[in-house]
Amino acid sequence: MEDYTLKLKDMKKIVLFLFCMLAAIANVNAQQVTKTTHKKAVKTDVVTTGNMTIRKPSYICISTDNDQDQLIMDGTKFTMTMGKKKHVTDSRKNPQFATFQAVLEAVINGRAIPASEDLTVSTKGNDKVLTITPTGKKRRQMFTSFVLVIDAKTSAFKTLKMNDRSGGFMEYTFK
């Protein structure tokens, strides 16, 4: 009798393959991403690669390091997984993420970027630089700011930098 059990690694490959097939069928926009993690106390940055998947109207998944690290926006729910740590927030309760969600949805859907007191928009060459810095109570925020750079003509994502309280950052560069 043959043993048909699949190893976890094989299951992950199958799930990833099925996800890619579904993405192709559903006309999902996917692009390559490089993630740079900078810790203030460490000399060398950690660089990993992965993919960003976008489904309209409001779903984005950035997955790097063989799916060990993920940043997912699914409607109002934001989930960040770093190794075995998982952080979840909802933009209905977190003003910084509410602005972030509104900006991402506007860019994804080709709409005008909504004004907000914690959003600064500037132009640098052919790029729009959108900086989201929370106002009011900041003590529990994981990030001090988000900086999203998009191509002004095509609205393509170029970089997303998430600055943390310790002086470090995570920067995603999209291709």
Side-chain angles (χ1 to χ4, degrees):
M1 186 173 241
E2 293 183 46
D3 184 10
Y4 289 105
T5 58
L6 293 173
K7 295 179 183 172
L8 182 59
K9 193 174 185 179
D10 293 331
M11 286 298 291
K12 284 183 179 180
K13 288 179 184 177
I14 291 169
V15 168
L16 183 60
F17 173 75
L18 290 172
F19 180 75
C20 289
M21 291 300 295
L22 287 172
I25 292 168
N27 195 20
V28 173
N29 184 9
Q31 51 187 130
Q32 291 181 333
V33 63
T34 300
K35 177 184 171 190
T36 303
T37 304
H38 173 79
K39 302 275 186 198
K40 189 175 180 181
V42 180
K43 280 187 176 182
T44 308
D45 292 344
V46 176
V47 178
T48 57
T49 59
N51 293 300
M52 175 177 73
T53 304
I54 299 174
R55 283 185 295 187
K56 292 182 180 184
S58 60
Y59 177 87
I60 296 177
C61 175
I62 302 172
S63 178
T64 59
D65 197 20
N66 293 319
D67 295 333
Q68 293 295 312
D69 295 340
Q70 292 184 332
L71 179 60
I72 300 170
M73 177 184 91
D74 190 0
T76 62
K77 183 179 175 185
F78 287 82
T79 306
M80 175 179 258
T81 306
M82 296 179 292
K84 294 183 180 183
K85 292 183 181 179
K86 191 175 201 175
H87 305 277
V88 179
T89 191
D90 192 302
S91 63
R92 292 175 292 196
K93 298 176 184 174
N94 187 325
Q96 181 182 22
F97 280 86
T99 302
F100 191 47
Q101 177 190 2
V103 166
L104 291 176
E105 285 184 357
V107 172
I108 290 169
N109 296 301
R111 296 188 314 241
I113 296 167
S116 175
E117 69 179 37
D118 55 355
L119 175 65
T120 305
V121 180
S122 61
T123 303
K124 189 175 184 179
N126 290 330
D127 297 333
K128 275 189 184 177
V129 180
L130 303 123
T131 305
I132 302 167
T133 307
T135 56
K137 295 182 180 182
K138 301 179 195 177
R139 66 176 183 245
R140 297 199 65 209
Q141 294 291 343
M142 190 172 176
F143 300 103
T144 58
S145 66
F146 298 134
V147 180
L148 177 64
V149 179
I150 60 171
D151 185 293
K153 292 179 182 175
T154 64
S155 292
F157 292 108
K158 287 192 165 187
T159 62
L160 169 61
K161 186 174 185 180
M162 301 162 59
N163 299 299
D164 66 30
R165 292 181 299 200
S166 66
F169 62 83
M170 285 185 290
E171 184 172 48
Y172 298 92
T173 304
F174 308 100
K175 297 178 183 167

